[in-house]
PDB file of all heavy atoms in Angstrom:
ATOM      1  N   VAL T 509       6.448 -10.342  55.899  1.00 98.00           N
ATOM      2  CA  VAL T 509       5.492 -11.503  56.072  1.00 98.00           C
ATOM      3  C   VAL T 509       5.588 -12.071  57.475  1.00 98.00           C
ATOM      4  O   VAL T 509       6.647 -12.585  57.893  1.00 98.00           O
ATOM      5  CB  VAL T 509       5.739 -12.524  54.965  1.00 98.00           C
ATOM      6  CG1 VAL T 509       4.725 -13.698  55.120  1.00 98.00           C
ATOM      7  CG2 VAL T 509       5.572 -11.954  53.563  1.00 98.00           C
ATOM      8  N   THR T 510       4.569 -12.130  58.184  1.00 96.00           N
ATOM      9  CA  THR T 510       4.612 -12.596  59.567  1.00 96.00           C
ATOM     10  C   THR T 510       3.898 -13.865  59.795  1.00 96.00           C
ATOM     11  O   THR T 510       3.935 -14.491  60.873  1.00 96.00           O
ATOM     12  CB  THR T 510       3.972 -11.477  60.511  1.00 96.00           C
ATOM     13  OG1 THR T 510       2.524 -11.237  60.078  1.00 96.00           O
ATOM     14  CG2 THR T 510       4.734 -10.169  60.472  1.00 96.00           C
ATOM     15  N   GLY T 511       3.162 -14.343  58.861  1.00 96.00           N
ATOM     16  CA  GLY T 511       2.401 -15.671  58.934  1.00 96.00           C
ATOM     17  C   GLY T 511       1.299 -15.876  57.983  1.00 96.00           C
ATOM     18  O   GLY T 511       1.217 -15.208  56.980  1.00 96.00           O
ATOM     19  N   GLY T 512       0.449 -16.839  58.367  1.00 96.00           N
ATOM     20  CA  GLY T 512      -0.599 -17.278  57.480  1.00 96.00           C
ATOM     21  C   GLY T 512      -0.385 -18.524  56.676  1.00 96.00           C
ATOM     22  O   GLY T 512       0.828 -18.820  56.335  1.00 96.00           O
ATOM     23  N   PHE T 513      -1.435 -19.249  56.357  1.00 96.00           N
ATOM     24  CA  PHE T 513      -1.195 -20.534  55.692  1.00 96.00           C
ATOM     25  C   PHE T 513      -0.643 -20.309  54.315  1.00 96.00           C
ATOM     26  O   PHE T 513       0.147 -21.110  53.782  1.00 96.00           O
ATOM     27  CB  PHE T 513      -2.604 -21.171  55.675  1.00 96.00           C
ATOM     28  CG  PHE T 513      -2.947 -21.870  56.878  1.00 96.00           C
ATOM     29  CD1 PHE T 513      -4.205 -21.536  57.443  1.00 96.00           C
ATOM     30  CD2 PHE T 513      -2.217 -22.809  57.594  1.00 96.00           C
ATOM     31  CE1 PHE T 513      -4.679 -22.053  58.571  1.00 96.00           C
ATOM     32  CE2 PHE T 513      -2.691 -23.296  58.821  1.00 96.00           C
ATOM     33  CZ  PHE T 513      -3.866 -22.982  59.277  1.00 96.00           C
ATOM     34  N   GLY T 514      -0.914 -19.206  53.704  1.00 96.00           N
ATOM     35  CA  GLY T 514      -0.505 -18.852  52.355  1.00 96.00           C
ATOM     36  C   GLY T 514       0.963 -18.559  52.377  1.00 96.00           C
ATOM     37  O   GLY T 514       1.620 -18.503  51.274  1.00 96.00           O
ATOM     38  N   ALA T 515       1.554 -18.269  53.507  1.00 96.00           N
ATOM     39  CA  ALA T 515       3.053 -17.923  53.556  1.00 96.00           C
ATOM     40  C   ALA T 515       3.946 -19.127  53.555  1.00 96.00           C
ATOM     41  O   ALA T 515       5.119 -19.093  53.251  1.00 96.00           O
ATOM     42  CB  ALA T 515       3.299 -17.163  54.838  1.00 96.00           C
ATOM     43  N   GLN T 516       3.244 -20.375  53.738  1.00 95.00           N
ATOM     44  CA  GLN T 516       4.072 -21.524  53.803  1.00 95.00           C
ATOM     45  C   GLN T 516       4.220 -22.149  52.358  1.00 95.00           C
ATOM     46  O   GLN T 516       3.451 -21.844  51.518  1.00 95.00           O
ATOM     47  CB  GLN T 516       3.310 -22.612  54.724  1.00 95.00           C
ATOM     48  CG  GLN T 516       2.904 -22.086  56.079  1.00 95.00           C
ATOM     49  CD  GLN T 516       4.184 -21.541  56.824  1.00 95.00           C
ATOM     50  OE1 GLN T 516       5.246 -22.131  56.866  1.00 95.00           O
ATOM     51  NE2 GLN T 516       3.949 -20.299  57.330  1.00 95.00           N
ATOM     52  N   GLY T 517       5.132 -22.937  52.238  1.00 91.00           N
ATOM     53  CA  GLY T 517       5.379 -23.594  50.957  1.00 91.00           C
ATOM     54  C   GLY T 517       4.438 -24.647  50.535  1.00 91.00           C
ATOM     55  O   GLY T 517       4.047 -25.453  51.399  1.00 91.00           O
ATOM     56  N   LYS T 518       3.976 -24.614  49.273  1.00 87.00           N
ATOM     57  CA  LYS T 518       3.024 -25.547  48.753  1.00 87.00           C
ATOM     58  C   LYS T 518       1.850 -25.761  49.741  1.00 87.00           C
ATOM     59  O   LYS T 518       1.204 -26.757  49.849  1.00 87.00           O
ATOM     60  CB  LYS T 518       3.647 -26.882  48.670  1.00 87.00           C
ATOM     61  CG  LYS T 518       4.802 -26.978  47.720  1.00 87.00           C
ATOM     62  CD  LYS T 518       5.526 -28.373  47.620  1.00 87.00           C
ATOM     63  CE  LYS T 518       6.667 -28.317  46.623  1.00 87.00           C
ATOM     64  NZ  LYS T 518       7.369 -29.617  46.583  1.00 87.00           N
ATOM     65  N   ALA T 519       1.364 -24.596  50.358  1.00 81.00           N
ATOM     66  CA  ALA T 519       0.215 -24.610  51.235  1.00 81.00           C
ATOM     67  C   ALA T 519      -1.055 -24.526  50.390  1.00 81.00           C
ATOM     68  O   ALA T 519      -1.157 -24.001  49.285  1.00 81.00           O
ATOM     69  CB  ALA T 519       0.331 -23.347  52.190  1.00 81.00           C
ATOM     70  N   ARG T 520      -2.100 -25.069  51.008  1.00 83.00           N
ATOM     71  CA  ARG T 520      -3.428 -25.000  50.315  1.00 83.00           C
ATOM     72  C   ARG T 520      -4.101 -23.651  50.675  1.00 83.00           C
ATOM     73  O   ARG T 520      -4.943 -23.128  49.906  1.00 83.00           O
ATOM     74  CB  ARG T 520      -4.338 -26.096  50.803  1.00 83.00           C
ATOM     75  CG  ARG T 520      -3.961 -27.504  50.369  1.00 83.00           C
ATOM     76  CD  ARG T 520      -4.921 -28.606  50.723  1.00 83.00           C
ATOM     77  NE  ARG T 520      -4.420 -29.862  50.188  1.00 83.00           N
ATOM     78  CZ  ARG T 520      -5.153 -30.957  50.398  1.00 83.00           C
ATOM     79  NH1 ARG T 520      -6.218 -30.998  51.232  1.00 83.00           N
ATOM     80  NH2 ARG T 520      -4.721 -32.066  49.956  1.00 83.00           N
ATOM     81  N   GLY T 521      -3.644 -23.033  51.768  1.00 90.00           N
ATOM     82  CA  GLY T 521      -4.315 -21.750  52.161  1.00 90.00           C
ATOM     83  C   GLY T 521      -3.688 -20.620  51.334  1.00 90.00           C
ATOM     84  O   GLY T 521      -2.644 -20.804  50.692  1.00 90.00           O
ATOM     85  N   ARG T 522      -4.407 -19.462  51.398  1.00 94.00           N
ATOM     86  CA  ARG T 522      -3.976 -18.284  50.590  1.00 94.00           C
ATOM     87  C   ARG T 522      -3.626 -17.138  51.512  1.00 94.00           C
ATOM     88  O   ARG T 522      -2.814 -16.305  50.977  1.00 94.00           O
ATOM     89  CB  ARG T 522      -5.181 -17.866  49.669  1.00 94.00           C
ATOM     90  CG  ARG T 522      -5.588 -18.907  48.641  1.00 94.00           C
ATOM     91  CD  ARG T 522      -6.699 -18.269  47.801  1.00 94.00           C
ATOM     92  NE  ARG T 522      -7.808 -17.865  48.484  1.00 94.00           N
ATOM     93  CZ  ARG T 522      -8.709 -17.016  48.088  1.00 94.00           C
ATOM     94  NH1 ARG T 522      -8.679 -16.570  46.774  1.00 94.00           N
ATOM     95  NH2 ARG T 522      -9.828 -16.623  48.735  1.00 94.00           N
ATOM     96  N   ALA T 523      -4.072 -17.049  52.728  1.00 96.00           N
ATOM     97  CA  ALA T 523      -3.840 -15.922  53.542  1.00 96.00           C
ATOM     98  C   ALA T 523      -2.378 -15.720  53.847  1.00 96.00           C
ATOM     99  O   ALA T 523      -1.710 -16.696  54.349  1.00 96.00           O
ATOM    100  CB  ALA T 523      -4.620 -15.990  54.820  1.00 96.00           C
ATOM    101  N   VAL T 524      -1.951 -14.507  53.730  1.00 97.00           N
ATOM    102  CA  VAL T 524      -0.636 -14.049  54.097  1.00 97.00           C
ATOM    103  C   VAL T 524      -0.754 -12.825  54.914  1.00 97.00           C
ATOM    104  O   VAL T 524      -1.234 -11.887  54.442  1.00 97.00           O
ATOM    105  CB  VAL T 524       0.189 -13.742  52.791  1.00 97.00           C
ATOM    106  CG1 VAL T 524       1.657 -13.291  53.271  1.00 97.00           C
ATOM    107  CG2 VAL T 524       0.406 -14.961  51.893  1.00 97.00           C
ATOM    108  N   TYR T 525      -0.247 -12.957  56.159  1.00 96.00           N
ATOM    109  CA  TYR T 525      -0.243 -11.761  57.090  1.00 96.00           C
ATOM    110  C   TYR T 525       0.983 -11.082  57.102  1.00 96.00           C
ATOM    111  O   TYR T 525       2.086 -11.590  57.080  1.00 96.00           O
ATOM    112  CB  TYR T 525      -0.637 -12.241  58.452  1.00 96.00           C
ATOM    113  CG  TYR T 525      -2.126 -12.965  58.614  1.00 96.00           C
ATOM    114  CD1 TYR T 525      -2.121 -14.319  58.580  1.00 96.00           C
ATOM    115  CD2 TYR T 525      -3.136 -12.183  58.515  1.00 96.00           C
ATOM    116  CE1 TYR T 525      -3.460 -14.914  58.592  1.00 96.00           C
ATOM    117  CE2 TYR T 525      -4.477 -12.747  58.632  1.00 96.00           C
ATOM    118  CZ  TYR T 525      -4.477 -14.103  58.541  1.00 96.00           C
ATOM    119  OH  TYR T 525      -5.740 -14.681  58.567  1.00 96.00           O
ATOM    120  N   THR T 526       0.866  -9.703  57.125  1.00 97.00           N
ATOM    121  CA  THR T 526       2.041  -8.793  56.870  1.00 97.00           C
ATOM    122  C   THR T 526       1.913  -7.613  57.780  1.00 97.00           C
ATOM    123  O   THR T 526       0.994  -7.192  58.318  1.00 97.00           O
ATOM    124  CB  THR T 526       2.166  -8.436  55.448  1.00 97.00           C
ATOM    125  OG1 THR T 526       1.011  -7.405  55.194  1.00 97.00           O
ATOM    126  CG2 THR T 526       2.014  -9.509  54.389  1.00 97.00           C
ATOM    127  N   VAL T 527       3.209  -7.102  57.851  1.00 96.00           N
ATOM    128  CA  VAL T 527       3.322  -5.656  58.478  1.00 96.00           C
ATOM    129  C   VAL T 527       4.021  -4.816  57.474  1.00 96.00           C
ATOM    130  O   VAL T 527       5.004  -5.082  56.947  1.00 96.00           O
ATOM    131  CB  VAL T 527       4.211  -5.809  59.758  1.00 96.00           C
ATOM    132  CG1 VAL T 527       4.463  -4.347  60.305  1.00 96.00           C
ATOM    133  CG2 VAL T 527       3.653  -6.748  60.787  1.00 96.00           C
ATOM    134  N   ASN T 528       3.350  -3.692  57.230  1.00 97.00           N
ATOM    135  CA  ASN T 528       3.805  -2.727  56.270  1.00 97.00           C
ATOM    136  C   ASN T 528       5.142  -2.053  56.829  1.00 97.00           C
ATOM    137  O   ASN T 528       5.038  -1.620  57.912  1.00 97.00           O
ATOM    138  CB  ASN T 528       2.823  -1.592  55.840  1.00 97.00           C
ATOM    139  CG  ASN T 528       3.377  -0.638  54.838  1.00 97.00           C
ATOM    140  OD1 ASN T 528       4.011   0.233  55.384  1.00 97.00           O
ATOM    141  ND2 ASN T 528       2.907  -0.767  53.718  1.00 97.00           N
ATOM    142  N   LEU T 529       6.182  -2.066  56.142  1.00 98.00           N
ATOM    143  CA  LEU T 529       7.449  -1.519  56.535  1.00 98.00           C
ATOM    144  C   LEU T 529       7.491  -0.086  56.868  1.00 98.00           C
ATOM    145  O   LEU T 529       8.063   0.403  57.866  1.00 98.00           O
ATOM    146  CB  LEU T 529       8.677  -1.881  55.672  1.00 98.00           C
ATOM    147  CG  LEU T 529       9.072  -3.334  55.611  1.00 98.00           C
ATOM    148  CD1 LEU T 529      10.427  -3.439  54.787  1.00 98.00           C
ATOM    149  CD2 LEU T 529       9.187  -4.035  56.856  1.00 98.00           C
ATOM    150  N   TYR T 530       6.781   0.588  56.033  1.00 97.00           N
ATOM    151  CA  TYR T 530       6.702   2.133  56.305  1.00 97.00           C
ATOM    152  C   TYR T 530       5.693   2.531  57.364  1.00 97.00           C
ATOM    153  O   TYR T 530       6.096   3.298  58.292  1.00 97.00           O
ATOM    154  CB  TYR T 530       6.201   2.807  54.941  1.00 97.00           C
ATOM    155  CG  TYR T 530       6.227   4.364  55.015  1.00 97.00           C
ATOM    156  CD1 TYR T 530       7.486   5.047  55.002  1.00 97.00           C
ATOM    157  CD2 TYR T 530       5.207   5.073  55.310  1.00 97.00           C
ATOM    158  CE1 TYR T 530       7.585   6.397  55.171  1.00 97.00           C
ATOM    159  CE2 TYR T 530       5.253   6.371  55.500  1.00 97.00           C
ATOM    160  CZ  TYR T 530       6.373   7.197  55.366  1.00 97.00           C
ATOM    161  OH  TYR T 530       6.475   8.448  55.427  1.00 97.00           O
ATOM    162  N   SER T 531       4.457   2.046  57.321  1.00 95.00           N
ATOM    163  CA  SER T 531       3.453   2.399  58.275  1.00 95.00           C
ATOM    164  C   SER T 531       3.307   1.690  59.486  1.00 95.00           C
ATOM    165  O   SER T 531       2.820   2.109  60.489  1.00 95.00           O
ATOM    166  CB  SER T 531       2.108   2.481  57.534  1.00 95.00           C
ATOM    167  OG  SER T 531       1.707   1.134  57.201  1.00 95.00           O
ATOM    168  N   GLY T 532       3.858   0.370  59.509  1.00 94.00           N
ATOM    169  CA  GLY T 532       3.678  -0.506  60.561  1.00 94.00           C
ATOM    170  C   GLY T 532       2.224  -1.159  60.718  1.00 94.00           C
ATOM    171  O   GLY T 532       2.014  -1.888  61.622  1.00 94.00           O
TER     172      GLY T 532
END
């Protein structure tokens, strides 16, 4: 998980930005 409002605790946002460990 690299960021996004959804990655934060008790956030109103849903978006979670990620990097796939296998493919990058």
